[in-house]
Amino acid sequence: MGAGRLSDATLAAVPASVARPRYDRAATRVGIVHFGPGAFHRAHQAAYLDDLLADEPDWAICAVSLHSTEVRDALRPQDGLYTLALLGEATRLRVIGSIREILAARDERDAVLARLADPAVRIVTLTITEKGYCLAGDDLDFAHPEIVHDLAMPDAPCSAIGFVVAGLSARRRAGLAAYTVLSCDNLADNGGKLRRAVLQYARRLDAGLAGWIECEVAFPRSMVDSITPATDDALRGRVSAQLGCGDAWPVQREAYAQWVIEDDFRNGRPAFEKAGATISDDIAGYDRAKLRLLNGPHSALAYLGSLLRIETVAEAMREPRLAGFIERLMREHVAPGLAAPAGFDATAYIDAILERFRNPAIAHKLTQIAWDGSQKLPVRIFGTIADALAAGRGIDALCLPVAAWLHFVRRQANAGVALVDPLGDVLVSIATSCNGNARYDVDAFLKLDAVFAGIRGEARFVAALRNAYARLGDATPQSVMKALAWGGT
Ligand code: CS2
């Protein structure tokens, strides 16, 4: 760590070239509890709120990590300050000050519950990734170990759902107004899914509480977007050198960011729109377009690119056959029939995404995007496949990324490389039973209810997936290139 460390005390010494909070941090108050202060939250929502605190000081953030203490241990000595690197032709640094408090639920549960019961807290936001919702399909997974735990010990929760409900229960008992619960995760209808899971959980505890939540609590939907590569030592080194002091956990993202929020807040909200967010009641259109036209192709790049032994998105986009497949996938197989927002220009949106993917300033690792495939693919690609089947359109190209995921899982399992996925163990056990025969292997994976229950009944999907899996052969770069030449067309 350089001379000293970024903190309120050293902020003034940071070079003028580094932007910093334009408000008195000591005059701000925590008004938002955020679950999941990973890189994306700190690069995206926390930056939007940092733009608002000068005019609206009551919306500072208490950031809560649910499972680890690393973010707390890294940022608490920095008074919650950290550096955001905006990547572009010239990287711009800005110190973000909107996180006023950082808690780790694992050993500060009571402090988290106290903050949730604080009347000054009027919004709870979440970036807990798809797996954090503990869903099985669209319903709460009552067999999920964290949900089992929380239903047995509702006053000592460990899941996001458990904390949200415990906080609401305390406010109800104290006669306080509820907070609004805003999901900021890559899920279609994120607010609707979260509301359903919260109510299903609350009904198991107390029908009266569930009824109160149903009437009093808003769960607005939102769509979030900014490509945010994981922090690495290279970034830490660049930031500390430019700051002249240490920053234990800077974050980085592309200059582009979008936040579309449904205006359904029962207990007040900051003027998100003043920081560039879009307030809209057509979140479904925005999140379908983003999940299907950006996240789906991202996952396709992750698995096909990994099988080609490619490291980053930008590098993958320099591989003509893969880049060509991705572009055709977007324009010819995802965009048709996409129910997008009124006035949406799919061509321009796709052009912009391809440009963002090609950004040479962004070293977005395919291995990072490949995480949690069991949670991501149903949200990102299966909906497009289902719509194409219903419309009688071809699905061979759409099934190639899904088949690539199966080969990716099999390759990781056979190489003994850890699979970052909440279903990692069961995926590995399936993969190690595979023998390379398309029908046998695909059918073994299709048995996985949590991933394929909603789509494996479609015979055309099963046939197309088996065919795509066979097209990828032994999943060597040579056979993947051959499959891309076929490309499902
Ligand atoms: C990526 C997303 O890691 C992934 O799965 O597809 O994090 C993507 O970078 C963001 O959704 C972009 O807004």
Side-chain angles (χ1 to χ4, degrees):
M1 203 61 66
R5 186 149 167 198
L6 178 64
S7 69
D8 284 329
T10 62
L11 182 59
V14 164
S17 59
V18 178
R20 72 222 42 223
R22 295 178 294 104
Y23 51 88
D24 172 6
R25 297 187 79 216
T28 62
R29 275 202 326 173
V30 169
I32 295 173
V33 167
H34 180 81
F35 287 103
F40 184 76
H41 168 69
R42 293 193 283 127
H44 185 272
Q45 302 100 55
Y48 277 92
L49 286 157
D50 199 53
D51 287 335
L52 291 171
L53 284 173
D55 298 330
E56 299 196 68
D58 290 344
W59 294 110
I61 300 165
C62 167
V64 178
S65 296
L66 285 166
H67 300 109
S68 68
T69 61
E70 280 88 352
V71 172
R72 187 242 352 243
D73 297 345
L75 297 189
R76 189 174 284 173
Q78 299 182 183
D79 301 315
L81 291 169
Y82 61 90
T83 311
L84 168 59
L86 294 165
L87 305 172
E89 276 169 38
T91 295
R92 289 179 290 121
L93 299 188
R94 82 179 259 198
V95 172
I96 302 294
S98 53
I99 294 179
R100 286 299 313 280
E101 182 180 36
I102 308 108
L103 298 172
R106 202 166 66 186
D107 54 16
E108 296 176 297
R109 180 187 297 125
D110 292 346
V112 177
L113 294 171
R115 195 48 98 179
L116 288 169
D118 178 348
V121 168
R122 294 182 281 156
I123 297 175
V124 166
T125 55
L126 306 97
T127 49
I128 51 177
T129 77
E130 300 87 345
K131 59 182 175 287
Y133 293 80
C134 303
L135 298 177
D138 287 342
D139 291 313
L140 185 66
D141 179 1
F142 285 102
H144 191 291
E146 293 187 1
I147 298 303
V148 171
H149 169 277
D150 290 358
L151 286 171
M153 300 172 71
D155 298 333
C158 62
S159 71
I161 302 281
F163 270 105
V164 164
V165 173
L168 290 168
S169 178
R171 292 171 83 107
R172 177 179 178 239
R173 287 196 303 273
L176 293 173
Y179 39 67
T180 293
V181 185
L182 173 62
S183 169
C184 301
D185 276 298
N186 282 329
L187 284 176
D189 186 22
N190 52 17
K193 286 191 172 77
L194 179 54
R195 180 175 191 274
R196 182 181 171 85
V198 162
L199 289 174
Q200 289 178 337
Y201 174 90
R203 286 183 189 119
R204 286 287 178 96
L205 288 181
D206 172 344
L209 171 61
W212 183 78
I213 292 173
E214 197 157 11
C215 293
E216 300 298 326
V217 183
F219 292 82
R221 298 157 178 80
S222 81
M223 185 281 275
V224 292
D225 188 5
S226 189
I227 291 173
T228 305
T231 296
D232 54 20
D233 287 342
L235 177 71
R236 283 192 184 88
R238 289 204 310 271
V239 164
S240 293
Q242 196 167 337
L243 255 57
C245 62
D247 180 349
W249 206 330
V251 294
Q252 58 187 341
R253 71 161 167 87
E254 63 178 333
Y256 176 90
Q258 188 177 24
W259 195 7
V260 184
I261 305 167
E262 183 179 22
D263 195 3
D264 181 12
F265 291 77
R266 307 282 172 80
N267 194 353
R269 69 171 176 85
F272 293 110
E273 57 275 37
K274 287 187 182 164
T278 302
I279 303 296
S280 168
D281 56 8
D282 185 11
I283 298 298
Y286 281 100
D287 78 16
R288 203 167 20 241
K290 194 264 180 166
L291 284 166
R292 294 187 179 192
L293 282 172
L294 185 147
N295 292 113
H298 241 183
S299 291
L301 281 167
Y303 302 117
L304 289 162
S306 294
L307 294 176
L308 288 170
R309 303 282 190 272
I310 293 173
E311 287 259 309
T312 67
V313 171
E315 194 188 330
M317 293 304 287
R318 291 194 293 272
E319 206 310 300
R321 201 170 290 179
L322 178 52
F325 171 76
I326 292 296
E327 182 161 1
R328 282 193 307 279
L329 190 75
M330 295 164 82
R331 297 193 193 283
E332 297 168 19
H333 300 283
V334 179
L338 181 69
F344 178 79
D345 180 342
T347 303
Y349 191 71
I350 291 169
D351 291 346
I353 289 172
L354 291 169
E355 202 50 38
R356 291 165 65 193
F357 282 178
R358 293 187 188 106
N359 185 346
I362 304 252
H364 198 181
K365 293 231 181 345
L366 297 181
T367 47
Q368 177 189 342
I369 301 169
W371 294 342
D372 299 343
S374 70
Q375 314 292 305
K376 292 179 178 179
L377 291 182
V379 173
R380 298 176 173 196
I381 297 184
F382 290 7
T384 303
I385 291 174
D387 289 353
L389 286 169
R393 289 193 296 271
I395 61 167
D396 287 333
L398 291 165
C399 286
L400 197 59
V402 184
W405 175 57
L406 304 185
H407 276 290
F408 171 83
V409 168
R410 193 166 168 239
R411 189 192 70 183
Q412 300 298 88
N414 292 339
V417 175
L419 201 61
V420 179
D421 192 302
L423 301 182
D425 292 346
V426 67
L427 284 166
V428 167
S429 68
I430 294 171
T432 44
S433 75
C434 290
N435 61 19
N437 172 279
R439 175 185 286 270
Y440 178 86
D441 291 2
V442 167
D443 291 9
F445 279 106
L446 287 178
K447 291 189 181 85
L448 201 48
D449 289 344
V451 180
F452 294 106
I455 195 166
R456 66 184 170 211
E458 280 283 359
R460 288 173 294 170
F461 168 70
V462 175
L465 185 58
R466 286 173 183 163
N467 181 37
Y469 190 92
R471 289 277 179 173
L472 287 164
D474 56 5
T476 57
Q478 295 71 22
S479 55
V480 172
M481 288 300 246
K482 224 170 124 193
L484 286 170
W486 163 70
T489 46

